[in-house]
Amino acid sequence: MIQVENLTKYYGPIRGIEDITFTIDKGEVVGLLGPNGSGKTTTMRILTGFFPPTSGRALINGYDVTKKPLEVQRHTGYFPERAPLYPEMSVTDYLGFVGKVKGIKGEKRKEQIDNVIVTCGIGEIADRLIGTLSKGFRQRVCLAQALLNDPDILVLDEPTIGLDPRQVVEVRKLIKNLSRERTVILCTHILPEVSETCNRVIIIHKGKLIAMDSPENLQEKIQKNTQTLFQYYGGNGGLGSELMGLPGVINVEKKEANFSGAQALVIQSEKDEATLRAISTFITQHGGPIMEMKKISLTLEEVFLELVTEEEL
Amino acid sequence: MGVYYILQRELRSYFQSFIAYVLIAVFLLLAGYFFYTDLVMYVAFSYQKVSFNKIWAYYFNDIRYVLMVAIPPLTMRLFAEEKKLGTIELLWTYPLRDWELLTGKYLAALFFLSLMLLLTLLYPAITYFLYHIDITSVFVGYFGIFLLGSSFIACGVLISSLTENQIVAAIGTFGLLLMFWFLTWNEAAANEKLMKILLNISLFDRLYTFTKGAIDLKDLVFFFNFHVFFIFLTWLSLTTRKWRGIK
């Protein structure tokens, strides 16, 4: 469980993050989103005890990151963006070293090393030197070091960058599995990854928390108006300009129709029922039968862009 | 325990990345060459006139320069490499204190220095069987050389913690050591007062008493302070991340 209260970090006069507050429960995967330089890494570094915040506090399983950093670090696993490793060490030697430094004792250490080797699928390369490994394997070895102490809190900074599509799917599946008994913070630029794996999304922009909700709710919230796809027959020239004249219609865009000889329009309009009814009535009266009427939801990517640009205005 | 694990990994890394062998080879080659020339010079010029023990003073003074060449490449990687690789970011999120990391790395370099010096004990050992030499003064000399070498390491560790470029770390350390060596050379440029201060902080001159087989408490205090100063600065440079941002 992660509790963050009014977390602020300044680098001299430069603001890293300001006044960030959120709580993440056990078993949750939370996506941390934001443009470059927005304060994601700063937030993660505070949570992993890398450096303390300027003010505010962060509690990991009830332990204050500033006051009990070692206690916190014993229960966290961190995957930094670059997946840094020692090239001259073999995978097992490396995991042995990490295990020792993380304070895992004797038999338990061996057991844990065997566990993460299986979990991360690095059995076949366990005796190889890290320097000779492919990018995909190195990512997984780095993930293994994060999991070695069986952490309650897992902080992952862009864990799927540089993997091939099959590995991306595997790693996402792995993250989902891992999240059952842990709290996971997943920082990423790949937005479909968030909608696929995360229960909740936190969006940070210019050091401030600007949104926190489930991906679905976030999409819902952002849509002040709705986009609907209409496919219909009839209506020479497409009815586009006439539809624009209806009250509540904001924008009309022509699309390629799936039905031969049909017209297709994406109509952006106000969300209320009356407007939609008016549109469909207009189409059937002035054109022909409607073949399809479908609500188009915004992708998370669009939500993200919209939130961030809105804040800038 | 953290100190021990870091030490263990550092030593392993030295020997796995080949630096160790090259360094030892170069060190022994130079040290052996100096020992040989000192011996030849002794035989040629002062045979029977000067006590044989005088040779060690020459030998230890020469070893200083060999160490000046050998220590920068030994210490350059300690922190610079971790910074370059980004592995230090992980170390800083492990349950490991900064002083444990620092001590582990410093001890690894110290261990390596001891190994290099230990191998050169062969020279006095050989002479011992041919002539009777004063073993104590040889050991005192070695003790002095060890203190000097560990001071070099303290400098090197600091410089390495300031950069992520190993070459910069090595050149910086070499430059700093060179400055400590030159410090008291230019007597004309410094007035008497300044010279007195310079002599007090001159690292290389601290060895003279040791080479004569004696230990001066003042020198021990100097070396102690020197270490405390540089190790404290290194610790400071590691903890700065806690009050300012790092890249």
Side-chain angles (χ1 to χ4, degrees), chain A residues 9-12 41 45 48-52 70 73-74 76 78-80 82 84-89 93-94 97-98 100-103 109 142 145, chain B residues 2 5-6 8-9 12-13 16-17 77 81-97 100 164 241-247:
Chain A
K9 174 84 183 174
Y10 272 85
Y11 303 117
T41 304
R45 284 183 166 176
T48 50
F50 181 94
F51 49 38
L70 296 188
Q73 285 164 336
R74 253 172 230 133
T76 27
Y78 181 38
F79 178 102
R82 282 195 284 164
L85 300 163
Y86 300 102
E88 79 277 5
M89 293 180 98
D93 279 351
Y94 172 68
F97 164 71
V98 174
K100 286 178 199 163
V101 175
K102 284 193 170 187
R109 186 167 66 235
C142 195
Q145 69 70 35
Chain B
Y5 301 138
I6 295 291
Q8 204 181 25
R9 201 203 74 78
R12 214 182 240 197
S13 169
Q16 273 169 342
S17 56
R77 48 170 293 280
E81 190 183 35
E82 299 252 19
K83 286 189 167 187
K84 189 87 177 179
L85 289 173
T87 43
I88 198 146
E89 193 177 340
L90 273 177
L91 288 179
W92 279 338
T93 62
Y94 292 157
L96 186 74
R97 296 174 188 88
E100 289 178 309
E164 56 170 55
R241 74 176 190 283
K242 290 185 175 168
W243 64 79
R244 69 177 175 89
I246 72 150
K247 210 172 64 130

Side-chain angles (χ1 to χ4, degrees), chain A residues 224-226 228 243-252 267-272 274-276 278-279:
Chain A
K224 284 174 226 114
N225 45 57
T226 184
T228 321
L243 280 164
M244 272 303 277
L246 289 180
V249 174
I250 298 158
N251 193 25
V252 178
I267 301 176
Q268 195 183 355
S269 67
E270 275 169 26
K271 225 173 184 175
D272 60 308
T275 312
L276 284 175
I279 296 170

Side-chain angles (χ1 to χ4, degrees), chain B residues 66-116:
Chain B
V66 187
L67 281 179
M68 201 166 73
V69 174
I71 298 295
L74 180 69
T75 55
M76 65 179 186
R77 48 170 293 280
L78 287 174
F79 284 104
E81 190 183 35
E82 299 252 19
K83 286 189 167 187
K84 189 87 177 179
L85 289 173
T87 43
I88 198 146
E89 193 177 340
L90 273 177
L91 288 179
W92 279 338
T93 62
Y94 292 157
L96 186 74
R97 296 174 188 88
D98 284 349
W99 68 262
E100 289 178 309
L101 180 62
L102 173 55
T103 314
K105 283 179 178 283
Y106 175 71
L107 286 181
L110 218 55
F111 187 92
F112 202 94
L113 170 71
S114 315
L115 177 70
M116 291 197 296

Side-chain angles (χ1 to χ4, degrees), chain B residues 91-245:
Chain B
L91 288 179
W92 279 338
T93 62
Y94 292 157
L96 186 74
R97 296 174 188 88
D98 284 349
W99 68 262
E100 289 178 309
L101 180 62
L102 173 55
T103 314
K105 283 179 178 283
Y106 175 71
L107 286 181
L110 218 55
F111 187 92
F112 202 94
L113 170 71
S114 315
L115 177 70
M116 291 197 296
L117 292 178
L118 222 58
L119 290 171
T120 64
L121 282 180
L122 188 66
Y123 315 145
I126 292 170
T127 9
Y128 181 75
F129 289 111
L130 301 176
Y131 301 91
H132 268 286
I133 56 169
D134 180 12
I135 278 292
T136 336
S137 65
V138 171
F139 278 115
V140 168
Y142 265 102
F143 179 57
I145 274 291
F146 175 77
L147 288 178
L148 189 74
S150 61
S151 308
F152 289 3
I153 289 173
C155 292
V157 170
L158 171 67
I159 307 285
S160 181
S161 78
L162 298 174
T163 173
E164 56 170 55
N165 185 324
Q166 294 192 44
I167 308 292
V168 171
I171 293 172
T173 308
F174 188 70
L176 187 65
L177 295 180
L178 214 56
M179 199 201 74
F180 272 117
W181 184 28
F182 292 163
L183 215 54
T184 51
W185 278 19
N186 197 344
E187 286 167 37
N191 59 35
E192 216 172 297
K193 256 188 191 166
L194 183 64
M195 204 58 197
K196 219 174 168 184
I197 298 169
L198 287 182
L199 275 172
N200 269 322
I201 59 168
S202 170
L203 188 58
F204 282 69
D205 298 339
R206 288 285 159 184
L207 197 68
Y208 289 139
T209 325
F210 289 98
T211 60
K212 288 176 200 145
I215 296 176
D216 189 341
L217 188 65
K218 264 195 288 185
D219 295 332
L220 291 182
V221 171
F222 171 82
F223 278 124
F224 180 77
N225 288 341
F226 191 91
H227 276 84
V228 168
F229 181 70
F230 277 91
I231 287 174
F232 175 70
L233 283 186
T234 313
W235 180 79
L236 221 53
S237 101
L238 291 179
T239 51
T240 46
R241 74 176 190 283
K242 290 185 175 168
W243 64 79
R244 69 177 175 89

